[in-house]
Amino acid sequence: MYNTLSGRVEEFRPLVGNRVYMFVCGPTVYDHSHIGHARTYISFDVIAKYLAYRGYSVFYLMNVTDIDDKMIQRANEVGIPVEDLADMYFKSFLEDMRALGVDSVNLYAKATEHVPEILEQIEALMEKGIAYESGGSVYFEVKKFPSFGKLSRQRLDKLEAGARVDVREEKRNPEDFALWKAYKPGEPSWDSPWGPGRPGWHVEDTAITMRYFGSQYDIHGGGRDLIFPHHDSEIAIAESITGKEPFVRYWLHTGFLNVEGEKMSKSLGNVITIKELLKRFRPEVVRFFFLHSHYRSPVDFTLTLLEEAEAAYERLENTVSNLRRSVKEASGGVGETGGTGGGGEMERESGPGLGEKALETRRRFVEAMDEDFNTREALAALFDLAREANRALAEGGCTPEEVKEALSVFEDYGGILGLFGTPADTSAAAAEAVIRILLEEREAARRKKDWETADRIRERLAEAGITVEDGKDGPRWRFSGV
Ligand code: AMP
């Protein structure tokens, strides 16, 4: 996997046996989640699932930022307590994740439920003389951690210049960051040795990960926007406390998502929430759209691109439906509508055949995913298999076992990517039942020599993208697309 820390693709070796401790920066729950969140969390969902598929035992932990400046500001605007705001939008986030099939997180950890751990870390830094108290707040003194900026590869002098915007009287140096923020009227607060206040942002994540993973762990993920200063600050806090290096072995960052070339922002009015997106597109289409580019690539979101992704995904899905039906028919589930199954091997044309293609696809898929989770290449392998499967189903030339093997490739890898699931199958199953009823009516018409009705049913089905062919075992049908 590509490690931001080294700037290279590295072989992955977990710290302990085949266990993987993976942490990803979770949302700040002050509003409904947007499609940038979907991009990042779908990526890490697939990464977690692929690691599990490769035999690792994955513990996927995610924090939830339920106290910070944005939370307080929004709660004041809406006129509700910060706690209620957090509850409302955390629920909304979980709904969105469930809808998108992001279900690999083992534990969500809220910042406000880890204040004792946060205070413990701040105290440790105070004892070491790396943090200092000023005006009831506590700051991390960046100069005391000379390798600060090793993740973003920014030098301290540059940081100082960049941080001048945040000059506060009480800070010793402009680049120092808050570990604890002194209480201000109207803000939620917790007791601390330095008076009431609330946690700073960076220490929230180090406190949570040290609580569950210990002083060092395997994978830390998040969007690219978080490399600096957030992740550099996490490294500074954790390595200052434990003296152990590296705090995290592999840092993974997703490419940022923009909308039509612009950063999403409330002021531009171009924020697209996951809920809005799912009104128009199915969750699997959204997943497919994101997985079609590498997780590290930036994404430029446009409606046209998503519509193109929808059409491409439906082609793939059609093939999977046809394979499923063929397998069902071969096992005698559907009977009279015929299909490729049941009759053993049909005359094969030259070429490698569907079975071999399925095996080759397995190899290609794993190779692509082993190379820094290249879902784009992995999907390309599935498209090639789909092409071969379409050919084999239309022309014959494959055994029921080969059809089964091709289907199992789509189903196994669909499980990792979150595609080709069964939820859409309820409508697909209903559609198939209706097709069977129509074909029965057509057969009844043919028996009565009512050719006009029989032809009309066949034409209407063709208009709906369903091709009917009459064979000696009765009619066979397949989706050919509209
Ligand atoms: P936030 O709620 O802004 O704290 O972000 C939560 C997670 O979503 C972090 O890992 C961010 O890096 C990621 N994220 C936020 N916006 C985007 C975006 N536009 N594109 C990709 N990832 C994003």
Coordinates of all heavy atoms in Angstrom, one line a residue, residues 258-342:
N258 N -14.0 17.2 -5.3 CA -14.6 18.5 -5.7 C -15.8 18.4 -6.5 O -16.1 17.3 -7.1 CB -13.6 19.4 -6.4 CG -12.5 19.9 -5.5 OD1 -12.7 20.1 -4.3 ND2 -11.3 20.0 -6.1
V259 N -16.7 19.4 -6.5 CA -17.9 19.4 -7.3 C -17.7 20.3 -8.5 O -17.5 21.5 -8.3 CB -19.1 19.7 -6.5 CG1 -20.4 19.9 -7.4 CG2 -19.4 18.7 -5.4
E260 N -17.8 19.8 -9.7 CA -17.5 20.6 -10.9 C -16.4 21.5 -10.7 O -16.5 22.7 -11.0 CB -18.8 21.3 -11.3 CG -19.9 20.3 -11.8 CD -21.2 20.9 -12.1 OE1 -21.4 22.1 -11.9 OE2 -22.1 20.1 -12.5
G261 N -15.3 21.0 -10.3 CA -14.0 21.7 -10.2 C -13.9 22.6 -9.0 O -12.9 23.3 -8.8
E262 N -14.9 22.7 -8.1 CA -14.8 23.6 -7.0 C -14.9 22.8 -5.7 O -15.6 21.8 -5.6 CB -15.9 24.6 -7.0 CG -15.9 25.4 -8.3 CD -16.3 26.9 -8.1 OE1 -15.5 27.6 -7.4 OE2 -17.3 27.3 -8.6
K263 N -14.3 23.3 -4.7 CA -14.4 22.7 -3.4 C -15.8 22.9 -2.9 O -16.4 24.0 -3.0 CB -13.4 23.4 -2.4 CG -13.2 22.7 -1.1 CD -12.1 23.3 -0.3 CE -12.3 22.6 1.1 NZ -11.4 23.1 2.1
M264 N -16.4 21.9 -2.3 CA -17.7 22.0 -1.8 C -17.7 23.0 -0.6 O -16.9 22.9 0.3 CB -18.3 20.7 -1.2 CG -19.0 19.9 -2.2 SD -19.8 18.5 -1.5 CE -18.4 17.5 -1.0
S265 N -18.6 23.9 -0.6 CA -18.7 24.8 0.6 C -20.1 25.4 0.7 O -20.8 25.6 -0.3 CB -17.7 25.9 0.5 OG -18.1 26.9 -0.3
K266 N -20.5 25.6 2.0 CA -21.8 26.2 2.2 C -22.0 27.5 1.5 O -23.0 27.8 0.9 CB -22.0 26.4 3.7 CG -22.4 25.2 4.4 CD -23.5 25.5 5.4 CE -24.2 24.2 5.8 NZ -23.9 23.7 7.1
S267 N -20.9 28.3 1.5 CA -21.0 29.7 0.9 C -21.2 29.6 -0.7 O -21.9 30.4 -1.2 CB -19.8 30.5 1.2 OG -18.6 29.9 0.9
L268 N -20.7 28.6 -1.3 CA -20.9 28.4 -2.7 C -22.2 27.7 -3.0 O -22.7 27.7 -4.2 CB -19.7 27.6 -3.3 CG -18.4 28.3 -3.6 CD1 -17.4 27.3 -4.1 CD2 -18.5 29.4 -4.5
G269 N -22.8 27.1 -2.0 CA -24.1 26.5 -2.1 C -24.0 25.2 -3.0 O -24.9 24.8 -3.6
N270 N -22.8 24.6 -3.0 CA -22.6 23.4 -3.9 C -22.4 22.1 -3.1 O -21.8 21.2 -3.6 CB -21.5 23.6 -4.9 CG -20.1 23.8 -4.2 OD1 -20.1 23.9 -2.9 ND2 -19.1 23.7 -4.9
V271 N -22.8 22.1 -1.8 CA -22.7 20.9 -1.0 C -23.7 19.9 -1.4 O -24.9 20.3 -1.4 CB -22.7 21.2 0.5 CG1 -22.6 20.0 1.4 CG2 -21.7 22.3 0.9
I272 N -23.4 18.7 -1.7 CA -24.3 17.7 -2.1 C -24.3 16.6 -1.0 O -23.3 16.0 -0.7 CB -24.0 17.0 -3.4 CG1 -23.9 18.1 -4.5 CG2 -25.1 15.9 -3.8 CD1 -23.5 17.5 -5.9
T273 N -25.4 16.5 -0.3 CA -25.5 15.5 0.8 C -25.7 14.1 0.2 O -26.1 13.9 -0.9 CB -26.6 15.8 1.8 OG1 -27.8 15.6 1.1 CG2 -26.5 17.2 2.4
I274 N -25.3 13.1 1.1 CA -25.5 11.7 0.6 C -27.0 11.4 0.4 O -27.4 10.8 -0.5 CB -24.8 10.8 1.7 CG1 -23.3 11.0 1.7 CG2 -25.2 9.3 1.4 CD1 -22.6 10.2 2.8
K275 N -27.8 12.0 1.3 CA -29.2 11.8 1.2 C -29.8 12.3 -0.1 O -30.6 11.6 -0.7 CB -29.9 12.5 2.4 CG -29.7 11.7 3.7 CD -30.5 12.3 4.9 CE -30.5 11.4 6.1 NZ -29.1 10.9 6.5
E276 N -29.3 13.5 -0.5 CA -29.8 14.0 -1.8 C -29.3 13.1 -2.9 O -30.1 12.8 -3.9 CB -29.2 15.4 -2.0 CG -29.9 16.5 -1.3 CD -29.0 17.8 -1.2 OE1 -27.9 17.8 -1.6 OE2 -29.5 18.8 -0.6
L277 N -28.1 12.7 -2.9 CA -27.5 11.9 -4.0 C -28.3 10.6 -4.1 O -28.6 10.1 -5.2 CB -26.1 11.5 -3.6 CG -25.3 10.9 -4.8 CD1 -25.1 11.8 -5.9 CD2 -24.0 10.3 -4.3
L278 N -28.7 10.0 -2.9 CA -29.4 8.7 -2.9 C -30.9 8.8 -3.4 O -31.5 7.8 -3.6 CB -29.3 8.0 -1.6 CG -27.8 7.5 -1.3 CD1 -27.8 6.8 0.1 CD2 -27.3 6.5 -2.3
K279 N -31.4 10.0 -3.5 CA -32.7 10.2 -4.0 C -32.7 9.9 -5.5 O -33.7 9.5 -6.1 CB -33.2 11.6 -3.8 CG -33.8 11.8 -2.4 CD -34.4 13.1 -2.3 CE -34.6 13.5 -0.8 NZ -34.6 14.9 -0.6
R280 N -31.6 10.2 -6.1 CA -31.5 10.0 -7.6 C -30.7 8.7 -8.0 O -31.0 8.2 -9.1 CB -30.8 11.3 -8.2 CG -30.3 11.2 -9.6 CD -31.4 11.1 -10.6 NE -30.9 10.9 -11.9 CZ -30.4 9.8 -12.4 NH1 -30.5 8.7 -11.7 NH2 -30.0 9.7 -13.7
F281 N -29.7 8.3 -7.2 CA -28.9 7.2 -7.6 C -28.9 6.1 -6.6 O -28.9 6.4 -5.4 CB -27.4 7.6 -7.9 CG -27.3 8.6 -9.0 CD1 -27.2 10.0 -8.8 CD2 -27.2 8.1 -10.3 CE1 -27.1 10.9 -9.9 CE2 -27.1 9.0 -11.4 CZ -27.1 10.4 -11.2
R282 N -28.9 4.8 -7.1 CA -28.8 3.7 -6.2 C -27.5 3.7 -5.5 O -26.5 4.0 -6.1 CB -29.0 2.4 -6.9 CG -30.5 2.2 -7.4 CD -30.6 0.9 -8.0 NE -29.8 0.7 -9.2 CZ -29.2 -0.4 -9.6 NH1 -29.2 -1.4 -8.8 NH2 -28.5 -0.5 -10.7
P283 N -27.4 3.2 -4.2 CA -26.2 3.1 -3.5 C -25.1 2.4 -4.3 O -23.9 2.8 -4.3 CB -26.5 2.3 -2.2 CG -28.0 2.5 -2.0 CD -28.6 2.7 -3.4
E284 N -25.4 1.3 -5.0 CA -24.4 0.5 -5.7 C -23.8 1.4 -6.8 O -22.6 1.2 -7.1 CB -25.0 -0.8 -6.2 CG -25.3 -1.7 -5.1 CD -25.5 -3.2 -5.6 OE1 -25.6 -3.4 -6.8 OE2 -25.5 -4.1 -4.7
V285 N -24.6 2.2 -7.4 CA -24.1 3.1 -8.5 C -23.1 4.1 -7.9 O -22.1 4.4 -8.5 CB -25.3 3.8 -9.2 CG1 -24.8 4.9 -10.1 CG2 -26.2 2.8 -9.9
V286 N -23.4 4.6 -6.7 CA -22.5 5.6 -6.1 C -21.2 4.9 -5.7 O -20.1 5.4 -6.0 CB -23.2 6.1 -4.8 CG1 -22.2 7.0 -4.0 CG2 -24.5 6.9 -5.1
R287 N -21.3 3.7 -5.2 CA -20.1 2.9 -4.9 C -19.3 2.7 -6.1 O -18.0 2.9 -6.2 CB -20.4 1.6 -4.2 CG -20.9 1.7 -2.8 CD -21.1 0.3 -2.2 NE -19.9 -0.3 -1.8 CZ -19.4 -0.4 -0.5 NH1 -20.1 0.1 0.5 NH2 -18.3 -1.0 -0.3
F288 N -19.9 2.2 -7.2 CA -19.3 1.9 -8.4 C -18.6 3.2 -9.0 O -17.4 3.1 -9.4 CB -20.3 1.4 -9.5 CG -19.7 1.2 -10.8 CD1 -19.1 0.0 -11.1 CD2 -19.8 2.2 -11.8 CE1 -18.5 -0.2 -12.4 CE2 -19.2 1.9 -13.1 CZ -18.6 0.7 -13.3
F289 N -19.3 4.3 -8.9 CA -18.7 5.6 -9.4 C -17.4 5.9 -8.7 O -16.4 6.2 -9.3 CB -19.7 6.7 -9.1 CG -19.1 8.1 -9.3 CD1 -18.8 8.5 -10.6 CD2 -18.8 8.9 -8.3 CE1 -18.3 9.8 -10.8 CE2 -18.2 10.2 -8.5 CZ -18.0 10.6 -9.8
F290 N -17.3 5.7 -7.3 CA -16.1 6.0 -6.6 C -15.0 5.0 -6.9 O -13.9 5.3 -7.0 CB -16.4 6.2 -5.1 CG -17.1 7.4 -4.8 CD1 -18.3 7.4 -4.0 CD2 -16.6 8.6 -5.2 CE1 -18.9 8.6 -3.7 CE2 -17.3 9.8 -4.9 CZ -18.4 9.8 -4.1
L291 N -15.4 3.7 -6.9 CA -14.4 2.6 -7.1 C -13.9 2.6 -8.5 O -12.8 2.0 -8.7 CB -15.1 1.3 -6.7 CG -15.6 1.2 -5.3 CD1 -16.3 -0.1 -5.0 CD2 -14.4 1.4 -4.3
H292 N -14.5 3.3 -9.4 CA -14.0 3.4 -10.7 C -12.8 4.2 -10.8 O -12.1 4.2 -11.8 CB -15.1 3.9 -11.7 CG -15.0 3.4 -13.0 ND1 -14.5 4.2 -14.0 CD2 -15.1 2.2 -13.5 CE1 -14.4 3.5 -15.1 NE2 -14.8 2.3 -14.9
S293 N -12.5 5.0 -9.8 CA -11.2 5.7 -9.8 C -10.4 5.2 -8.6 O -11.0 4.7 -7.6 CB -11.4 7.3 -9.7 OG -12.1 7.6 -8.6
H294 N -9.1 5.4 -8.6 CA -8.3 4.9 -7.5 C -8.5 5.7 -6.3 O -8.8 6.9 -6.4 CB -6.8 5.0 -7.9 CG -5.9 4.3 -7.0 ND1 -5.3 5.0 -5.9 CD2 -5.4 3.1 -6.9 CE1 -4.6 4.1 -5.2 NE2 -4.6 2.9 -5.8
Y295 N -8.4 5.1 -5.1 CA -8.8 5.9 -3.9 C -7.9 7.1 -3.7 O -8.3 8.1 -3.0 CB -8.8 5.0 -2.6 CG -7.5 4.6 -2.1 CD1 -6.9 5.5 -1.1 CD2 -6.8 3.5 -2.5 CE1 -5.6 5.2 -0.6 CE2 -5.5 3.2 -2.0 CZ -4.9 4.1 -1.0 OH -3.7 3.8 -0.5
R296 N -6.7 7.1 -4.2 CA -5.8 8.3 -4.0 C -6.1 9.4 -5.0 O -5.5 10.5 -4.9 CB -4.4 7.8 -4.0 CG -3.9 7.2 -2.7 CD -2.4 7.0 -2.6 NE -1.9 6.0 -3.5 CZ -1.0 6.2 -4.5 NH1 -0.6 7.4 -4.7 NH2 -0.6 5.2 -5.2
S297 N -6.8 9.1 -6.1 CA -7.0 10.1 -7.1 C -8.0 11.2 -6.6 O -9.0 10.8 -6.0 CB -7.6 9.5 -8.4 OG -6.9 8.4 -8.8
P298 N -7.8 12.4 -7.0 CA -8.9 13.4 -6.7 C -10.1 13.0 -7.6 O -10.0 12.4 -8.6 CB -8.2 14.7 -7.2 CG -7.0 14.4 -8.0 CD -6.7 13.0 -7.7
V299 N -11.3 13.4 -7.1 CA -12.5 13.1 -7.8 C -13.2 14.4 -8.2 O -13.3 15.3 -7.3 CB -13.5 12.3 -7.0 CG1 -14.8 12.1 -7.7 CG2 -12.9 10.9 -6.6
D300 N -13.5 14.6 -9.4 CA -14.3 15.7 -9.8 C -15.7 15.2 -10.0 O -16.0 14.5 -11.0 CB -13.8 16.5 -11.0 CG -14.5 17.8 -11.2 OD1 -15.0 18.4 -10.2 OD2 -14.6 18.2 -12.4
F301 N -16.6 15.6 -9.2 CA -18.0 15.1 -9.2 C -18.8 15.9 -10.2 O -18.9 17.1 -10.0 CB -18.6 15.1 -7.8 CG -20.0 14.6 -7.8 CD1 -20.2 13.2 -7.5 CD2 -21.1 15.4 -8.1 CE1 -21.5 12.7 -7.5 CE2 -22.4 14.9 -8.1 CZ -22.6 13.6 -7.7
T302 N -19.4 15.2 -11.2 CA -20.4 15.9 -12.0 C -21.6 14.9 -12.2 O -21.4 13.7 -12.1 CB -19.9 16.4 -13.4 OG1 -19.7 15.2 -14.1 CG2 -18.6 17.2 -13.3
L303 N -22.8 15.5 -12.4 CA -23.9 14.6 -12.6 C -23.7 13.7 -13.9 O -24.1 12.6 -13.9 CB -25.2 15.5 -12.8 CG -26.4 15.0 -12.2 CD1 -26.2 14.7 -10.7 CD2 -27.5 16.0 -12.3
T304 N -23.1 14.3 -14.9 CA -22.9 13.6 -16.1 C -22.0 12.3 -15.9 O -22.3 11.2 -16.4 CB -22.2 14.5 -17.2 OG1 -22.9 15.7 -17.1 CG2 -22.3 13.9 -18.6
L305 N -21.0 12.5 -15.1 CA -20.1 11.4 -14.8 C -20.8 10.3 -14.1 O -20.6 9.1 -14.3 CB -18.9 11.9 -14.0 CG -17.8 12.6 -14.8 CD1 -16.7 13.1 -13.9 CD2 -17.2 11.7 -15.9
L306 N -21.7 10.8 -13.2 CA -22.4 9.8 -12.4 C -23.4 9.0 -13.2 O -23.6 7.8 -13.1 CB -23.1 10.4 -11.2 CG -23.3 9.5 -10.0 CD1 -22.0 9.2 -9.4 CD2 -24.2 10.0 -9.0
E307 N -24.0 9.7 -14.2 CA -25.0 9.1 -15.1 C -24.2 8.1 -16.0 O -24.7 7.0 -16.2 CB -25.7 10.1 -15.9 CG -26.9 10.7 -15.2 CD -27.4 12.0 -15.8 OE1 -26.8 12.5 -16.8 OE2 -28.3 12.6 -15.2
E308 N -23.0 8.4 -16.4 CA -22.2 7.5 -17.2 C -21.9 6.2 -16.4 O -21.9 5.1 -16.9 CB -20.9 8.2 -17.7 CG -21.1 9.0 -18.9 CD -19.9 9.9 -19.2 OE1 -18.8 9.6 -18.7 OE2 -20.1 10.9 -19.8
A309 N -21.5 6.5 -15.1 CA -21.2 5.4 -14.2 C -22.4 4.5 -14.0 O -22.3 3.2 -14.0 CB -20.7 5.9 -12.9
E310 N -23.6 5.1 -13.9 CA -24.8 4.3 -13.8 C -25.1 3.4 -15.0 O -25.3 2.2 -14.8 CB -26.0 5.3 -13.7 CG -27.3 4.6 -13.4 CD -28.5 5.7 -13.2 OE1 -28.5 6.6 -14.0 OE2 -29.2 5.5 -12.3
A311 N -24.9 3.9 -16.2 CA -25.1 3.1 -17.4 C -24.0 2.0 -17.4 O -24.4 0.8 -17.7 CB -24.9 4.0 -18.6
A312 N -22.8 2.3 -17.1 CA -21.7 1.2 -17.1 C -22.0 0.2 -16.1 O -21.9 -1.0 -16.3 CB -20.4 1.9 -16.9
Y313 N -22.5 0.6 -14.9 CA -22.7 -0.4 -13.8 C -23.9 -1.3 -14.2 O -23.9 -2.5 -14.0 CB -23.0 0.3 -12.5 CG -23.3 -0.7 -11.4 CD1 -22.3 -1.6 -11.1 CD2 -24.5 -0.7 -10.7 CE1 -22.6 -2.6 -10.1 CE2 -24.8 -1.6 -9.7 CZ -23.8 -2.6 -9.4 OH -24.1 -3.5 -8.5
E314 N -24.9 -0.7 -14.9 CA -26.1 -1.5 -15.2 C -25.7 -2.5 -16.3 O -26.3 -3.6 -16.2 CB -27.2 -0.6 -15.7 CG -27.9 0.1 -14.5 CD -29.0 1.1 -14.9 OE1 -29.1 1.4 -16.1 OE2 -29.6 1.6 -13.9
R315 N -24.7 -2.2 -17.1 CA -24.3 -3.2 -18.1 C -23.7 -4.4 -17.3 O -24.0 -5.6 -17.6 CB -23.2 -2.6 -19.0 CG -23.8 -1.8 -20.1 CD -22.9 -1.6 -21.3 NE -21.6 -1.1 -21.0 CZ -21.3 0.2 -20.8 NH1 -22.2 1.1 -21.0 NH2 -20.1 0.6 -20.5
L316 N -22.9 -4.1 -16.3 CA -22.2 -5.2 -15.6 C -23.3 -6.0 -14.8 O -23.3 -7.2 -14.7 CB -21.3 -4.5 -14.6 CG -20.0 -5.2 -14.2 CD1 -19.3 -5.7 -15.4 CD2 -19.1 -4.2 -13.4
E317 N -24.2 -5.2 -14.2 CA -25.3 -5.8 -13.4 C -26.2 -6.8 -14.3 O -26.6 -7.8 -13.8 CB -26.2 -4.7 -12.9 CG -26.6 -4.9 -11.5 CD -27.5 -3.7 -11.0 OE1 -27.9 -2.9 -11.9 OE2 -27.7 -3.7 -9.8
N318 N -26.4 -6.3 -15.5 CA -27.2 -7.2 -16.4 C -26.6 -8.5 -16.7 O -27.2 -9.5 -16.7 CB -27.3 -6.5 -17.8 CG -28.6 -5.7 -17.9 OD1 -29.5 -5.9 -17.2 ND2 -28.7 -4.9 -18.9
T319 N -25.2 -8.5 -16.8 CA -24.5 -9.7 -17.0 C -24.7 -10.6 -15.8 O -24.9 -11.8 -15.9 CB -23.0 -9.4 -17.3 OG1 -22.9 -8.5 -18.4 CG2 -22.2 -10.7 -17.6
V320 N -24.5 -10.0 -14.6 CA -24.6 -10.8 -13.4 C -26.0 -11.4 -13.3 O -26.2 -12.6 -13.0 CB -24.3 -10.0 -12.2 CG1 -24.4 -10.8 -10.9 CG2 -22.8 -9.4 -12.3
S321 N -27.1 -10.6 -13.6 CA -28.4 -11.1 -13.6 C -28.6 -12.3 -14.6 O -29.2 -13.3 -14.2 CB -29.4 -10.1 -14.0 OG -29.4 -9.0 -13.1
N322 N -28.0 -12.1 -15.7 CA -28.1 -13.2 -16.7 C -27.4 -14.5 -16.2 O -27.9 -15.6 -16.4 CB -27.6 -12.8 -18.1 CG -28.5 -11.8 -18.8 OD1 -29.7 -11.8 -18.6 ND2 -27.9 -10.9 -19.6
L323 N -26.3 -14.3 -15.6 CA -25.5 -15.5 -15.1 C -26.4 -16.1 -14.0 O -26.5 -17.4 -13.9 CB -24.2 -15.0 -14.5 CG -23.1 -14.7 -15.6 CD1 -21.9 -14.0 -14.9 CD2 -22.7 -15.9 -16.4
R324 N -26.9 -15.3 -13.1 CA -27.7 -15.9 -12.0 C -28.9 -16.7 -12.5 O -29.2 -17.8 -12.1 CB -28.3 -14.7 -11.1 CG -27.2 -14.2 -10.2 CD -27.8 -13.3 -9.1 NE -26.8 -12.9 -8.2 CZ -26.5 -11.6 -7.9 NH1 -27.3 -10.6 -8.3 NH2 -25.5 -11.3 -7.1
R325 N -29.6 -16.1 -13.5 CA -30.7 -16.8 -14.1 C -30.3 -18.1 -14.8 O -30.9 -19.2 -14.6 CB -31.4 -15.9 -15.1 CG -32.9 -16.2 -15.1 CD -33.7 -15.4 -16.0 NE -33.1 -15.4 -17.4 CZ -32.4 -14.4 -17.8 NH1 -32.1 -13.4 -17.1 NH2 -31.9 -14.5 -19.0
S326 N -29.2 -18.1 -15.4 CA -28.7 -19.2 -16.1 C -28.3 -20.3 -15.1 O -28.7 -21.5 -15.3 CB -27.5 -18.9 -16.9 OG -27.0 -20.0 -17.6
V327 N -27.8 -19.9 -14.0 CA -27.4 -20.9 -12.9 C -28.7 -21.5 -12.4 O -28.8 -22.7 -12.2 CB -26.5 -20.3 -11.8 CG1 -26.4 -21.2 -10.6 CG2 -25.2 -20.0 -12.4
K328 N -29.7 -20.6 -12.1 CA -31.0 -21.1 -11.6 C -31.6 -22.1 -12.5 O -32.1 -23.2 -12.1 CB -31.9 -19.9 -11.4 CG -32.3 -19.8 -9.9 CD -33.5 -18.8 -9.8 CE -33.1 -17.4 -9.5 NZ -34.2 -16.5 -9.7
E329 N -31.6 -21.8 -13.8 CA -32.2 -22.6 -14.8 C -31.5 -24.0 -14.9 O -32.1 -25.0 -15.0 CB -32.2 -22.0 -16.2 CG -33.1 -20.8 -16.3 CD -32.9 -20.0 -17.5 OE1 -32.0 -20.3 -18.3 OE2 -33.7 -19.0 -17.7
A330 N -30.2 -23.9 -14.8 CA -29.4 -25.2 -14.9 C -29.7 -26.1 -13.7 O -29.7 -27.3 -13.8 CB -27.9 -24.8 -14.9
S331 N -30.0 -25.5 -12.5 CA -30.3 -26.3 -11.4 C -31.8 -26.7 -11.3 O -32.3 -27.2 -10.4 CB -29.9 -25.6 -10.1 OG -30.6 -24.5 -9.9
G332 N -32.5 -26.4 -12.4 CA -33.9 -26.8 -12.5 C -34.9 -25.8 -11.9 O -36.0 -26.1 -11.8
G333 N -34.4 -24.6 -11.4 CA -35.2 -23.7 -10.7 C -36.3 -23.1 -11.6 O -37.3 -22.7 -11.1
V334 N -36.0 -22.9 -12.8 CA -36.9 -22.1 -13.7 C -37.6 -22.9 -14.8 O -38.7 -22.6 -15.2 CB -36.2 -20.8 -14.2 CG1 -37.1 -20.0 -15.1 CG2 -35.6 -20.0 -13.1
G335 N -36.9 -24.0 -15.1 CA -37.5 -24.9 -16.0 C -37.8 -24.4 -17.4 O -36.9 -24.2 -18.2
E336 N -39.1 -24.1 -17.7 CA -39.5 -24.0 -19.1 C -38.9 -22.9 -19.9 O -39.0 -22.9 -21.1 CB -41.0 -24.0 -19.2 CG -41.6 -22.6 -18.8 CD -42.4 -22.7 -17.6 OE1 -41.9 -23.1 -16.5 OE2 -43.6 -22.4 -17.7
T337 N -38.3 -21.9 -19.2 CA -37.8 -20.8 -20.0 C -36.5 -21.1 -20.7 O -35.9 -20.3 -21.4 CB -37.6 -19.5 -19.2 OG1 -36.9 -19.8 -18.0 CG2 -39.0 -18.9 -18.9
G338 N -36.0 -22.3 -20.4 CA -34.7 -22.7 -21.1 C -33.5 -22.1 -20.5 O -33.3 -22.0 -19.3
G339 N -32.6 -21.6 -21.4 CA -31.4 -21.0 -20.9 C -30.2 -21.8 -21.4 O -30.4 -22.8 -22.1
T340 N -29.0 -21.4 -21.0 CA -27.8 -22.1 -21.4 C -27.6 -23.4 -20.7 O -26.9 -24.3 -21.1 CB -26.6 -21.2 -21.3 OG1 -26.6 -20.7 -20.0 CG2 -26.4 -20.2 -22.3
G341 N -28.2 -23.4 -19.5 CA -27.9 -24.6 -18.6 C -28.7 -25.8 -19.0 O -29.5 -25.8 -19.9
G342 N -28.4 -26.9 -18.2 CA -29.2 -28.1 -18.4 C -28.7 -29.0 -19.4 O -28.7 -30.2 -19.2

